[in-house]
């Protein structure tokens, strides 16, 4: 049993310290790697101390017991700091506080416990009649509590790290977490709980194997996480080292041990143990040094006996490194020729590409296209007089021709002339040419396609530039036409305003009786004519305002106005029209209302537009409510009707120029689509905003808000 435990502890210790060394060698500047190495070192020393005091009782056992109790504290402390450094939460305030209160204060606390352990203040250790006795004193509760705090904090941080991680890292953390939990629980049980409960040393000693197996599980979990889940990025180092170790062990078992046993049997002489160890060490060193020494002599013999020798893989690697960053076909050809000529030493190496072959080589290219073989070696062709291909190759001094093909696309041929030394191409040369041609073909294909795309882009850009010029010319003509249209609208509006003003004036005089008494029917007809002329005035005003907007001459002429009086006047103007349609207009004029600075004429036009729309888009017996509200910083005007409303699908286009919804066109075919557009422009120009809401077939609210102070 003891021999088995010796091997088990040796395996655990070597495995732990090896993982730590490989990690620190991989990246000595990484904090997490450094603390993992510290943890592996403390845990290795602790395992050795624990094993010695558990299985050997002598004069030095008391020392190892004290080291056992001390080193486990430092081991838990180190693995906690490793967890903090390993955590991706290292920028959080919580982890910064943990570092602040654990690294230095924890080390000091550990030193205090270390002193207390060596002064018999935590546990009382004695040996009587080869029996080790360990008695826990009251202070040991603080010691055990510290260990538990370290363990809980470590597990909490690692669990949180696993919770926030993804993919392989998450799996790796879970694997390590399971291994360490098993190790912690098993060793707390065997080193603290069992000795505290069971006072029979022999029983506790037998139970220690549980702790060792827990440690073995932890070591296995760490190596599984490293090799399968790529923890610490040292997977390849571990795998190679493990493979080399297994190979070395296999050689020792299969060759060295039988050889020594056979030697002992033949000469009938038992070798001393020291000689056996020496022979095994010498054998191991010989095996380890064999490969490096063999490489040195291989290179030396190649220089002496094979001056033209080269490694195909080296040339392919060099070729790949040169071609991977190039997208220029000429550059790819130049680099390929340079690398291959240095290796093969051909007199000439040229490319015959299908799309860029000169007329001088056209005969050779056409002849090669007729061949079915991808690689043609002149020396291997039949010497028959009818062999026209051979004659063509000899004419152009071609020793080898290889087809450049990538994904079933023939790009051309790579041609090799005779060797500089006069010798024939050997199998190594032909094999290199075959492999290299595939890699060159792929690079050339990518480069040629890239060049084709570039040429297409240039052609496309030229077409875009030409189209842009044509569009610019057309746009210039359209601008001239638009300016001509604006000039016409401006001139026509000015010319129409004067006669319309006269028409309105005379109609007003007739209605008021200045030209004599008129009948009720005549009065109604004249009022309708007056309303129509008024609408024409508003339309002309809209056209003039649009023209001014486009020419940059749209101005706001502010003056102090009573908005409540303006609304009342505009309602009176449309009262007869609303009454004729049996539509009620409800407006409660405020008794006192503040005077504000607005453009009176344009604001009247906006209010009239909202009232006129409400009347025309509301059915008979409908109702229109006009609201005027004085708020803390703004004045709000709202005209609410219960008419047809606006469909939700066209609401976003309602305030655009010349747009009218389909239901509005049916209800009022003579509309222009300018009223709402101009209303929005006028209100925004005065620093206000439009108020609008609607529900189809249930009515709409049109209004605006203006600031009290400008």
């Amino acid at each position: 049993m003891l021999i088995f435990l010796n091997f088990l502890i040796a395996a655990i210790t070597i495995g732990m310290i090896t993982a730590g060394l490989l990690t620190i060698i991989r990246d000595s500047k990484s904090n997490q790697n450094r603390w993992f190495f510290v943890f592996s070192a403390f845990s290795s020393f602790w395992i050795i101390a624990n094993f010695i005091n558990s299985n050997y009782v002598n004069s030095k056992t008391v020392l190892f017991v004290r080291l056992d109790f001390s080193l486990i504290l430092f081991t838990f402390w180190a693995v906690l700091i490793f967890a903090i450094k390993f955590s991706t939460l290292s920028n959080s305030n919580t982890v910064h506080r943990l570092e602040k209160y654990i690294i230095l204060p924890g080390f000091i606390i550990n030193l205090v416990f270390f002193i207390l352990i060596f002064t018999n203040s935590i546990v009382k250790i004695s040996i009587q009649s080869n029996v080790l006795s360990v008695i826990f004193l009251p202070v040991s509760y603080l010691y055990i509590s510290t260990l538990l705090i370290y363990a809980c904090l470590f597990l909490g941080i690692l669990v949180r790290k696993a919770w926030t991680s993804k993919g392989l890292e998450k799996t790796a953390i879970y694997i390590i977490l399971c291994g360490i939990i098993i190790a912690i629980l098993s060793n707390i049980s065997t080193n603290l709980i069992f000795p505290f409960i069971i006072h029979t040393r022999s029983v506790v000693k037998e139970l220690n194997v549980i702790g060792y197996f827990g440690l073995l599980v932890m070591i296995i979990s760490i190596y599984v996480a490293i090799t399968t889940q790529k923890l610490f990025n040292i997977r390849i180092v571990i795998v190679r080292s493990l493979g080399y170790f297994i190979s070395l062990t296999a050689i020792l078992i299969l060759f060295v041990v039988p050889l020594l046993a056979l030697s002992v049997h033949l000469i009938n002489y038992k070798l001393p143990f020291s000689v056996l160890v020496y022979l095994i060490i010498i054998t191991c060193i010989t095996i380890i040094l064999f490969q490096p020494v063999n490489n040195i002599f291989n290179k030396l013999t190649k220089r002496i006996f094979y001056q033209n020798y080269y490694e195909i893989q080296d040339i392919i690697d060099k070729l790949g490194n040169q071609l991977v960053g190039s997208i220029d076909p000429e550059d790819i050809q130049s680099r390929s020729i340079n690398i291959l000529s240095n290796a093969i030493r051909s007199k000439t190496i040229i490319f015959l590409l299908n799309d860029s072959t000169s007329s001088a080589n056209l005969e050779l290219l056409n002849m090669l296209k007729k061949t079915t073989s991808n690689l043609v070696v002149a020396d291997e062709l039949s010497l028959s007089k009818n062999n026209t291909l051979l004659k063509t190759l000899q004419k152009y001094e071609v020793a080898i021709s290889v087809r450049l093909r990538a994904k079933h696309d023939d790009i051309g041929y790579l041609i090799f002339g005779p060797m500089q030394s006069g010798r024939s191409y050997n199998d190594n040369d032909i094999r290199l040419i075959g492999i290299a041609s595939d890699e060159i073909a792929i690079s050339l294909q990518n480069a040629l396609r890239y060049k084709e795309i570039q040429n297409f882009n240039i052609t496309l850009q030229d077409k875009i530039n030409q189209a842009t010029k044509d569009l610019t010319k057309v746009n210039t003509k359209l601008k001239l036409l638009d300016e001509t249209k604006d000039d016409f609208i401006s001139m026509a509006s000015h010319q129409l305003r004067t006669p319309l003003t006269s028409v309105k004036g005379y109609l007003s005089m007739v209605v008021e009786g200045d030209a004599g008494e008129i009948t009720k029917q005549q009065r109604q007809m004249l009022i309708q004519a007056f309303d129509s002329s008024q609408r024409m005035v508003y339309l002309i005003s809209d056209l003039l305002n649009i023209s001014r907007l486009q020419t940059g001459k749209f101005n706001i002429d502010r003056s102090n106005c009573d908005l409540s009086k303006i609304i009342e006047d505009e309602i009176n103007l449309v009262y007869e029209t609303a009454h004729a349609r049996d539509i009620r207009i409800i407006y409660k004029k405020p008794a006192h209302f503040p005077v504000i600075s607005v453009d009176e004429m344009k604001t009247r036009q906006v209010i009239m537009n909202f009232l006129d729309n409400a009347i025309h888009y509301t059915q008979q017996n409908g109702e229109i409510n006009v609201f005027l509200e004085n708020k803390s910083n703004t004045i709000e005007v709202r005209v609410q009707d219960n008419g047809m409303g606006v469909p939700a699908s066209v609401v976003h286009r309602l305030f655009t120029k010349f747009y009218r919804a389909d239901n509005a066109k049916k209800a009022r075919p003579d509309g222009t689509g300018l009223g709402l557009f101009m209303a929005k422009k006028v209100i925004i120009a005065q620093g206000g905003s439009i108020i609008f809401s609607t529900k189809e077939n249930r009515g709409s609210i049109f209004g605006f808000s203006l600031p009290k102070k400008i």
Side-chain angles (χ1 to χ4, degrees):
M1 181 67 177
L2 187 58
I3 295 174
F4 169 74
L5 289 178
N6 279 321
F7 279 108
L8 181 62
I9 293 301
I12 293 171
T13 307
I14 292 171
M16 196 67 200
I17 201 66
T18 302
L21 285 171
L22 290 173
T23 304
I24 198 70
I25 290 169
R26 174 67 178 82
D27 187 2
S28 60
K29 295 181 180 180
S30 170
N31 281 328
Q32 70 175 28
N33 289 21
R34 289 176 181 177
W35 280 103
F36 183 79
F37 172 73
V38 173
F39 158 64
S40 66
F42 274 126
S43 61
S44 299
F45 294 140
W46 167 70
I47 291 167
I48 294 170
N50 178 268
F51 174 72
I52 291 173
N53 84 72
S54 299
N55 296 279
Y56 298 96
V57 179
N58 52 44
S59 58
K60 295 182 179 180
T61 302
V62 174
L63 172 64
F64 284 102
V65 173
R66 289 171 178 164
L67 287 174
D68 180 5
F69 281 99
S70 303
L71 288 173
I72 192 172
L73 201 63
F74 281 97
T75 300
F76 276 43
W77 168 76
V79 77
L80 172 57
I81 299 172
F82 160 70
I84 295 171
K85 298 295 184 181
F86 182 68
S87 173
T88 53
L89 307 171
S90 56
N91 294 326
S92 68
N93 293 329
T94 305
V95 173
H96 279 311
R97 283 195 294 270
L98 283 173
E99 290 180 351
K100 180 180 178 182
Y101 293 119
I102 286 175
I103 295 180
L104 183 59
F107 183 76
I108 294 171
I109 291 170
N110 292 351
L111 283 179
V112 171
F113 280 122
F114 181 82
I115 295 169
L116 293 174
I117 289 168
F118 272 81
T119 56
N120 288 331
S121 300
I122 291 180
V123 289
K124 188 175 181 181
I125 307 166
S126 62
I127 298 177
Q128 295 178 354
S129 302
N130 287 332
V131 176
L132 179 67
S133 176
V134 179
I135 300 173
F136 287 86
L137 300 176
V139 184
S140 63
Y141 290 104
L142 290 175
Y143 168 83
I144 295 171
S145 298
T146 305
L147 279 176
L148 291 175
I149 289 170
Y150 285 160
C152 291
L153 287 174
F154 160 74
L155 293 174
I157 291 173
L158 213 56
V159 167
R160 189 172 182 182
K161 167 72 174 176
W163 185 262
T164 56
S165 298
K166 295 180 180 179
L168 290 177
E169 186 182 51
K170 189 184 190 76
T171 308
I173 295 170
Y174 276 128
I175 291 171
I176 288 184
L177 193 60
C178 291
I180 292 180
I181 289 173
I182 292 171
I184 289 174
L185 293 177
S186 62
N187 281 277
I188 286 178
S189 300
T190 57
N191 290 279
L192 291 176
I193 298 175
F194 294 161
F196 194 78
I197 298 173
I198 305 169
H199 297 289
T200 306
R201 182 63 182 173
S202 59
V203 177
V204 174
K205 181 178 177 180
E206 293 296 329
L207 291 173
N208 276 344
V209 72
I210 297 173
Y212 300 144
F213 275 109
L215 292 171
L216 183 62
V217 170
M218 180 184 72
I219 297 296
I220 292 171
S221 70
I222 291 173
Y223 276 91
V224 168
I226 289 172
T227 54
T228 64
Q229 310 302 319
K230 302 181 181 179
L231 187 69
F232 297 129
N233 290 324
I234 59 171
R235 176 186 179 185
I236 191 65
V237 179
I238 289 288
V239 172
R240 285 180 178 175
S241 301
L242 188 60
Y244 205 74
F245 176 76
I246 292 171
S247 300
L248 185 62
T249 305
I251 291 172
L252 287 173
I253 294 172
L254 296 175
F255 296 100
V256 177
V257 174
L259 184 62
L260 290 173
L262 183 61
S263 300
V264 171
H265 177 72
L266 289 176
I267 63 177
N268 197 20
Y269 174 71
K270 186 176 181 181
L271 293 173
F273 180 75
S274 58
V275 175
L276 289 173
V277 172
Y278 173 76
L279 289 174
I280 291 173
I281 291 172
I282 292 298
T283 304
C284 292
I285 293 172
T286 304
I287 294 168
I288 292 169
L289 294 178
F290 174 77
Q291 190 62 39
V293 173
N294 183 52
N295 290 338
I296 293 171
F297 280 102
N298 278 341
K299 290 179 181 178
L300 186 61
T301 53
K302 285 174 185 176
R303 284 185 184 178
I304 297 172
F305 300 105
Y306 301 99
Q307 294 181 1
N308 295 325
Y309 181 82
Y310 55 84
E311 287 287 349
I312 292 179
Q313 190 58 50
D314 292 342
I315 304 302
I316 296 300
D317 291 343
K318 189 183 296 184
L319 187 65
N321 292 333
Q322 288 291 316
L323 300 185
V324 70
S326 181
I327 54 174
D328 180 26
E330 287 75 17
D331 182 55
I332 290 173
Q333 294 175 49
S334 175
R335 293 186 182 189
S336 301
I337 291 171
N338 184 47
I339 293 171
L340 291 176
S341 62
N342 287 335
I344 299 177
R345 310 283 182 178
S346 297
K347 287 183 180 179
T348 57
I349 301 177
I350 61 172
F351 282 85
L352 291 182
L353 301 185
N354 295 332
D355 299 333
S356 58
T357 303
S358 63
S359 57
N361 296 320
L362 193 59
E363 179 189 2
L364 176 61
L365 180 63
N366 292 332
M367 182 61 68
L368 290 173
K369 285 182 179 179
K370 295 177 182 179
T371 63
T372 56
S373 177
N374 289 330
L375 190 138
V376 177
V377 181
D379 291 343
E380 297 177 358
L381 293 176
S382 173
L383 297 178
S384 172
K385 293 181 181 180
N386 296 326
N387 196 332
T388 54
L389 176 59
L390 177 59
K391 291 180 179 179
T392 305
L393 294 179
Q394 290 174 344
K395 177 182 177 181
Y396 289 96
E397 295 185 348
V398 176
I400 294 179
S401 168
V402 59
R403 194 190 306 269
L404 298 174
R405 172 173 287 185
K407 296 181 180 178
H408 308 293
D409 293 335
D410 287 340
I411 300 171
Y413 295 86
L414 184 57
I415 306 300
F416 292 83
M419 300 286 285
Q420 294 177 7
S421 61
R423 69 176 178 85
S424 298
Y425 287 87
N426 57 36
D427 293 340
N428 204 49
D429 299 328
I430 296 172
R431 186 162 172 262
L432 171 62
I433 291 170
I435 297 172
S437 64
D438 293 336
E439 193 158 339
I440 295 169
I442 293 171
S443 297
L444 271 177
Q445 185 187 50
N446 293 336
L448 291 170
R449 287 181 177 177
Y450 179 79
K451 191 173 182 179
E452 185 180 346
I453 292 170
Q454 277 189 321
N455 293 335
F456 174 75
N457 288 339
I458 292 170
T459 305
L460 183 62
Q461 187 62 48
D462 291 340
K463 291 182 179 180
I464 291 172
N465 292 337
Q466 184 60 43
T468 303
K469 289 180 182 178
D470 295 341
L471 286 173
T472 303
K473 291 180 181 179
V474 173
N475 192 40
T476 303
K477 291 180 181 179
L478 288 174
K479 284 182 178 179
L480 291 173
L481 290 173
D482 197 47
E483 289 175 1
T484 304
K485 177 203 69 176
D486 291 339
D487 292 339
F488 171 76
I489 291 174
S490 179
M491 180 187 67
S493 300
H494 280 292
Q495 294 299 322
L496 288 171
R497 177 176 281 186
T498 302
L500 271 174
T501 303
S502 299
V503 170
K504 276 184 62 182
Y506 286 122
L507 286 172
S508 178
M509 291 172 62
V510 173
V511 169
E512 291 175 359
D514 293 343
E517 292 292 330
I518 56 176
T519 64
K520 182 178 180 180
Q521 184 179 6
Q522 289 173 336
R523 177 182 294 277
Q524 186 175 1
M525 293 172 67
L526 288 169
I527 288 173
Q528 289 180 357
F530 181 83
D531 290 343
S532 297
S533 63
Q534 181 63 42
R535 283 197 299 274
M536 182 64 73
V537 170
Y538 285 139
L539 175 60
I540 291 170
S541 296
D542 285 340
L543 291 171
L544 280 172
N545 285 331
I546 289 173
S547 177
R548 289 166 183 163
L549 275 171
Q550 292 175 335
T551 57
K553 298 178 182 179
F554 183 77
N555 297 317
I556 298 296
D557 300 321
R558 295 182 181 276
S559 61
N560 292 331
C561 304
D562 183 356
L563 202 56
S564 63
K565 180 66 169 61
I566 291 174
I567 292 173
E568 185 179 38
D569 293 343
E570 296 304 310
I571 289 174
N572 290 335
L573 288 175
V574 298
Y575 178 79
E576 290 295 335
T577 304
H579 182 70
R581 291 171 173 266
D582 295 326
I583 296 172
R584 292 180 299 155
I585 300 179
I586 301 171
Y587 169 61
K588 295 180 180 179
K589 180 182 178 182
H592 302 285
F593 201 80
V595 174
I596 62 170
S597 178
V598 296
D599 187 321
E600 182 177 349
M601 289 302 298
K602 292 183 177 65
T603 305
R604 282 181 179 274
Q605 190 174 344
V606 171
I607 295 169
M608 173 55 71
N609 182 272
F610 290 164
L611 290 169
D612 190 52
N613 284 346
I615 291 170
H616 281 87
Y617 300 135
T618 301
Q619 295 81 2
Q620 285 190 340
N621 300 317
E623 182 177 285
I624 298 172
N625 288 278
V626 181
F627 302 96
L628 176 62
E629 294 184 13
N630 178 17
K631 296 195 172 182
S632 57
N633 297 316
T634 59
I635 301 296
E636 284 193 5
V637 177
R638 297 192 305 279
V639 177
Q640 181 178 354
D641 64 67
N642 57 359
M644 66 176 63
V646 182
S649 59
V650 300
V651 164
H652 64 286
R653 300 180 60 190
L654 195 61
F655 288 88
T656 56
K657 185 166 58 174
F658 299 121
Y659 179 77
R660 301 184 69 217
D662 291 338
N663 58 352
K665 291 177 183 178
K666 293 177 182 178
R668 189 180 183 185
D670 61 336
T672 62
L674 291 174
L676 293 179
F677 171 76
M678 279 309 306
K680 185 176 181 179
K681 293 292 183 182
V682 168
I683 296 303
I684 290 175
Q686 297 185 89
S689 60
I690 290 291
I691 298 171
F692 168 64
S693 65
T694 185
K695 287 186 179 180
E696 192 172 2
N697 299 322
R698 296 181 63 180
S700 304
I701 297 175
F702 287 89
F704 59 84
S705 66
L706 291 171
K708 289 182 179 180
K709 296 181 181 180
I710 303 299

